[in-house]
Amino acid sequence: MIANPTLSTFDETNIFFDRAADRLKLADGVRELLRRPWRELTVSVPVRMDDGRIEVFTGYRIQHNGARGPYKGGVRFHPAANLDEVRTLASLMTWKTALVDLPYGGAKGGVQCDPYKMSQGELNRLTRRYTINIEHLIGITRDIPAPDLGTNSQTMAWMMDAYSQIHGYTPGIVTGKPVELGGSVGRDSATGRGVVYVMTEMAKDMRMSVEGGRVVVQGFGQVGSWTVRLASEMGCNIVGVSDISGAVYSPSGIDVDRLFRHKQETGTVTGFPGADRLTNEELLEIECDFLIPAAIERVIHAKNAPKIKAAVILEAANHPITPEADEILNDRGIPIMPDILVNAGGVVVSYFEWSQNLYQQHWEADRVSEELSKIMTRAYGAVRDTKKREGITYREAAFLIGIKRVAHVTELRGFI
Ligand code: NAD
């Protein structure tokens, strides 16, 4: 990961924010209010480890902006989770929920830990203590957490249970739960599904063919693996895939069913028979049609941006491209579809899940996919039209739409 050492990730996201704020001619006070998180909480999370030791982890919940509705955002378990990163992700949630027009604000949470090195018992205890320590900030009309990097439906089940022990059975307190506990069908695939919807719409406009299109996906977790599965079902040629242990590459295409079996058996995509082994850095520089970073932040930076050979980039991960790299790629004419649009499918189906919980309903899978497709296609159309009308990039257009909506509601509510 090579980034400009003088800038934090929050500074970097605010470069994108400021460009849109300038174009919107936001008044200084409004700009300041929209830039900053409204509330930040840091908590100590003591956990009894399996060997009897007590380890104290650090956790965060940051509520960036609640002008448009309850705060909404995932919880990340990762060794690099810190205040700055969680702040960045919380602000991206504000612009994302506004862009896809959900009645939510933006938040994010995180615990600095390595979930891959912890037992299920340790993770259960960590999740419960974290939930209890942020319990006074969250609520079904206040702030609704969800899974993110290093967390999953099991984590959400534990969070829901810990919260429910204090407040009574409250499935709507988190989204991304197991279906048996009030989760929505289609939530696990939702972010990946949103990625391929945006890819299809973008390809149509750019007269590119999805069928046979060469796809590279970095990350094979919740988002990356579903993106690979669904893109392959649409006829794409998956040429490169990676996870934290490395990448596999086959110019003639990877057999996706076999790759899933290999991952299930070995726990990783590396070592997949018949494919070349590459590093994660090399994977990003493969010649392809659709490059989809779906792992962590800042993987495309000033050093490797000149070497990217993709026709287009779709940001399935949050903030995978630094502002410097963004400029280089813009100058090179490589279109970038931004994170706040591409990976919004997850929060859209989280919204469906929350609504189902409030009304005690259960939607069928077809309804979830149909409604998701409608929202993603509408948001994509708005970004494309704004880009064309204003003569700006897709990212600038997406931020412009999101920020304008939040600024408008801020004024309507009379905060300032
Ligand atoms: P995950 O934990 O399920 O999977 C992460 C994947 O990335 C794993 O395959 C892991 O091995 C790989 N990875 C981790 N560190 C890596 C590294 N240094 N280099 C290469 N690969 C690495 O996480 P996820 O939920 O799939 O989230 C991935 C990204 O998508 C994150 O940026 C997250 O914020 C974003 N996102 C997730 C959702 C969601 O619904 N889960 C929604 C919107 C955005």
Side-chain angles (χ1 to χ4, degrees), residues 30 34 61-62 112 144 153 155 167 222 320 335 353 394-395:
V30 178
L34 266 51
R61 185 71 188 170
I62 297 187
Q112 199 175 85
I144 304 115
S153 58
T155 324
H167 296 272
Q222 176 86 350
E353 179 175 332
Y394 289 109
R395 189 190 308 282

Side-chain angles (χ1 to χ4, degrees), residues 329-340:
L329 294 163
N330 290 338
D331 290 347
R332 293 184 56 213
I334 299 179
I336 303 165
M337 205 45 85
D339 46 9
I340 59 171

Side-chain angles (χ1 to χ4, degrees), residues 284-319:
L284 296 170
E285 295 168 17
I286 289 176
E287 190 178 325
C288 65
D289 299 302
F290 303 98
L291 173 60
I292 308 182
I296 53 165
E297 298 76 50
R298 290 167 147 182
V299 291
I300 302 179
H301 38 71
K303 285 243 166 85
N304 64 1
K307 300 185 208 153
I308 301 284
K309 293 189 265 308
V312 303
I313 305 175
L314 292 119
E315 295 184 329
N318 282 310
H319 196 54

Side-chain angles (χ1 to χ4, degrees), residues 76 78 89 96 108 116 147-151 187 191 218-224 242-245 263 280 294-297 316-318 343 346:
R76 168 173 291 203
H78 193 268
L89 296 164
K96 188 181 307 181
K108 204 79 179 189
Y116 300 111
D148 190 66
L149 196 73
T151 55
R187 174 60 183 88
T191 309
Q218 182 188 50
F220 201 68
Q222 176 86 350
V223 179
S242 75
D243 60 22
I244 196 164
S245 357
K263 164 86 182 174
N280 260 291
I296 53 165
E297 298 76 50
N318 282 310
N343 68 31

